[in-house]
Amino acid sequence: MADLRQEYHDKNPNGAQSHTQDIQNELDGLIEYDVANETSLKNPFLEACFNRIGHSQSWEELVRTHESYNDSWKPQRKRATALRMLMTEQVGWPSDEGLLGFKRKYLAGILVAIKASDRGITRSEDHVQITLDPTFDLTHYSDDLPNRTHPELDLPTLMTFSDTVESDAFAVLKEQSIDPSANNHHVVYVIDCTPDADTERSAITSIREDAQAKKKSGQKLTEREAAADFLNESKCILYVGYSHEFPSRMSRHYQGKSSGSADFVNLYKPKRLMEVTDYPSESDAKKMEQIRAEQLRRETDCYVYQA
């Protein structure tokens, strides 16, 4: 088992998100790709990183073993997922933490994984999670997770999320006499994002473990970890948002592409739409978005994420 936390945090001190040039220059000397002038996670870059770490399978073969794999995934998502899976094996990159952009934390993880491969560090499911604070007391990881149930929530279901989400969302607005065309509605909506308890994904289990361990040791939880802490108490996760292009926004939520919320909904995938209310203007809706989120926090035991 490898513990590469200090090496990772030396490359990404205090969760820095900017000034990636030093890491880009270092990667530039390790892989056959011009990293120094790169600004995004392009497919050739992802493939070059995967191949540099090396695996007995190709990235195409590895990604197909992912528990949620779907042939409809975009090419970049397939490659990024395969690389994330390889990093998890190589250095303990969190299984719930995708590669979502050209940020320092992702480049630092890739760099540490390449160097670990060069040093012959054996791949394992038992590596210490690389993004944990280096001073974190690993004895707090030993507790078993509580059994989780899926609580009933006393709110109606207007729509369940599926591949027809955009047309279904269009129909929901029409049923409520709301103009579904873009810019002709200003709606506040509430989505249930509680993961299934009976078929819990490994990414959810992983972040529940993180949340439990960090809470016990007194560390501050991230927003995603705070939501996982509610799951450990068998409570629901709700998402409250605003949109003036509701059908397409629901589609982006379903695909995990909504700007600003992708990191959250990629992990806590939307399950069902519970409320949608139209307001006269954008300013009215945005004000009510915050009010509705606060109401739900007071009136329910749910974790409420506001976009």
Side-chain angles (χ1 to χ4, degrees), residues 96-98 100 103 105-106 161 189 191 193 201 223-224 227 237-243 245 248-270 289 303-307:
D96 60 85
E97 180 71 78
L100 302 176
K103 297 180 181 179
K105 63 179 180 179
Y106 304 131
F161 281 76
Y189 56 89
I191 297 172
C193 293
R201 299 172 3 251
E223 194 145 27
R224 299 197 316 166
I237 297 175
L238 301 181
Y239 181 110
V240 180
Y242 154 78
S243 182
E245 45 177 7
S248 61
R249 176 64 59 83
M250 293 303 98
S251 178
R252 292 198 298 273
H253 278 325
Y254 183 62
Q255 298 177 53
K257 291 182 177 180
S258 290
S259 176
S261 67
D263 203 34
F264 194 86
V265 296
N266 267 329
L267 180 63
Y268 301 114
K269 300 181 183 300
E289 175 191 9
Y303 182 85
V304 180
Y305 177 91
Q306 183 186 345

Side-chain angles (χ1 to χ4, degrees), residues 17-263:
Q17 295 298 317
S18 57
H19 307 298
T20 63
Q21 198 62 56
D22 58 326
I23 293 183
Q24 289 177 246
N25 291 339
E26 200 167 350
L27 281 170
D28 215 22
L30 291 174
I31 64 176
E32 296 181 4
Y33 189 86
D34 183 12
V35 185
N37 297 312
E38 190 55 274
T39 58
S40 63
L41 295 176
K42 294 180 180 177
N43 289 333
F45 171 73
L46 294 167
E47 287 188 39
C49 292
F50 184 97
N51 294 333
R52 183 61 175 77
I53 298 171
H55 197 268
S56 59
Q57 296 174 291
S58 66
W59 70 264
E60 295 99 329
E61 293 170 322
L62 182 60
V63 73
R64 288 179 181 276
T65 67
H66 189 274
E67 60 188 349
S68 302
Y69 176 77
N70 191 302
D71 272 334
S72 66
W73 284 4
K74 301 289 187 183
Q76 184 186 37
R77 182 177 180 182
K78 291 179 181 179
R79 290 165 174 80
T81 300
L83 179 57
R84 194 281 301 158
M85 294 170 71
L86 185 53
M87 291 165 62
T88 300
E89 292 180 21
Q90 189 68 54
V91 296
W93 185 260
S95 60
D96 60 85
E97 180 71 78
L99 303 177
L100 302 176
F102 207 73
K103 297 180 181 179
R104 187 178 185 92
K105 63 179 180 179
Y106 304 131
L107 298 181
I110 292 170
L111 179 60
V112 172
I114 289 174
K115 290 188 170 184
S117 176
D118 287 350
R119 297 202 302 273
I121 290 178
T122 305
R123 295 198 185 96
S124 168
E125 294 181 355
D126 299 322
H127 289 320
V128 175
Q129 191 175 110
I130 193 174
T131 56
L132 286 174
D133 191 297
T135 63
F136 188 79
D137 184 355
L138 291 175
T139 61
H140 290 301
Y141 250 148
S142 60
D143 289 350
D144 291 335
L145 283 174
N147 291 326
R148 183 168 77 87
T149 60
H150 196 118
E152 294 295 327
L153 196 56
D154 189 23
L155 289 172
T157 297
L158 301 181
M159 177 189 79
T160 56
F161 281 76
S162 68
D163 291 340
T164 59
V165 58
E166 189 161 355
S167 60
D168 291 345
F170 188 96
V172 166
L173 294 189
K174 292 287 287 184
E175 287 169 5
Q176 300 203 21
S177 301
I178 300 172
D179 187 341
S181 55
N183 298 312
N184 284 310
H185 57 265
H186 301 282
V187 298
V188 174
Y189 56 89
V190 179
I191 297 172
D192 180 7
C193 293
T194 312
D196 293 332
D198 295 336
T199 56
E200 183 173 280
R201 299 172 3 251
S202 61
I204 299 298
T205 303
S206 175
I207 200 166
R208 286 178 61 208
E209 290 172 341
D210 296 349
Q212 177 174 269
K214 289 178 71 173
K215 183 179 181 180
K216 185 176 179 182
S217 63
Q219 293 195 42
K220 183 179 179 180
L221 304 184
T222 65
E223 194 145 27
R224 299 197 316 166
E225 290 164 348
D229 184 45
F230 274 66
L231 292 181
N232 285 339
E233 298 179 6
S234 290
K235 297 177 180 178
C236 293
I237 297 175
L238 301 181
Y239 181 110
V240 180
Y242 154 78
S243 182
H244 61 86
E245 45 177 7
F246 182 72
S248 61
R249 176 64 59 83
M250 293 303 98
S251 178
R252 292 198 298 273
H253 278 325
Y254 183 62
Q255 298 177 53
K257 291 182 177 180
S258 290
S259 176
S261 67
D263 203 34

Side-chain angles (χ1 to χ4, degrees), residues 286-299:
K286 288 188 172 181
K287 184 184 300 182
M288 289 307 301
E289 175 191 9
Q290 185 172 356
I291 290 173
R292 186 57 181 141
E294 290 298 330
Q295 286 175 338
L296 288 167
R297 292 185 184 109
R298 290 195 308 268
E299 297 169 2

